[in-house]
Amino acid sequence: MGSSRSDVVHEPIDPDTGPVPPARHSPWRGQGPVVGVVAVGGALGATARYGASLLWVTPPSAFPWTILLVNAVGCAIIGVFLVLITEMWTAHRLMRPFFGTGVLGGFTTFSAYAVDFTRLVQDGRIAIAFGYLLGTLVVAMTAVWAAMAATRRVLGVYGGGPGRRAAR
Amino acid sequence: MNWLLVIAGGLVGAPLRYLTDRAVQTRHDSVFPWGTFLVNMVGCLVLGLLTGAAAEGAASQRLQLLLGTGLCGALTTYSTFSYETLRLAEEGARLFAVANVGLSLVVGVGAAFAGTGLAHAIWG
């Protein structure tokens, strides 16, 4: 367990830069395919978010449930995905940029979150505005934490040994 | 047509986030996720500007779908923001985790207000 924990230390905070430190001299070398899959993933994610906003329309001055749920679902999925891909599988090098950076990054949004808050404030719906601002934060952080913990637990039980950080 | 506008915006927004994040992360050694922070703040400013312009009748529904739902939506991210915050806390950088949340919320909301105000000043 001691040796496996050392792998965790090299995992960067930023999931988009990958486990290998970027080369100082040529950070852009071989980036073409990565940029391509991020673009396709981002288009898919944005389309899914737009579809959700059409399916579950929220009136302008109401609580923006749809975007809250989109962000919460995206956070839960990224928790499962990044634990699987960093602690369990050795995935194809384009898998993480496509799904993590592209699809989930394109699906979830911070700009609509902030702008919907300002719109609610300008409409005088102060309680709803702050409920939305803090509610999204709490739900999203809980979703990513719970998803990561649950995935590590399942990997620990069914993965032939404890998940790397499940041993904590 | 509406779907194509969102797709086109997403095709540009997500790689713009990736390339900006990468450019920022290769230029400093801090564990603080400045790359994600930067794209989120820029997205809040632009979407604020666009929303303000739309309220003044200066931005069409189609422009909002292309630049708002598509571009700004894909440029900004909540999943990476929350994951990075949790990773900072897990690695013992609790102060950075709290700072990431505090700064992102305060500056993001500030940027959205600034964008809207700027739009009213320009097109109002």
Side-chain angles (χ1 to χ4, degrees), chain B residues 37-54:
Chain B
F37 176 78
L38 180 67
V39 289
N40 276 348
M41 299 310 105
V42 170
C44 289
L45 181 71
V46 173
L47 188 65
L49 193 67
L50 187 71
T51 306

Side-chain angles (χ1 to χ4, degrees), chain A residues 50 53-54 57 60 119, chain B residues 1-6 47 50-51 53-71:
Chain A
Y50 178 55
S53 75
L54 293 179
V57 178
R119 195 187 341 235
Chain B
M1 183 62 190
N2 288 351
W3 293 89
L4 290 179
L5 292 167
V6 174
L47 188 65
L50 187 71
T51 306
E56 298 290 353
S60 68
Q61 180 72 28
R62 286 183 169 181
L63 195 67
Q64 289 183 72
L65 287 172
L66 177 71
L67 297 183
T69 309
L71 187 88

Side-chain angles (χ1 to χ4, degrees), chain A residues 146-165:
Chain A
M148 290 175 78
T151 309
R152 282 173 184 153
R153 176 158 291 206
V154 170
L155 291 185
V157 173
Y158 299 108
R164 283 182 191 170
R165 269 174 280 178

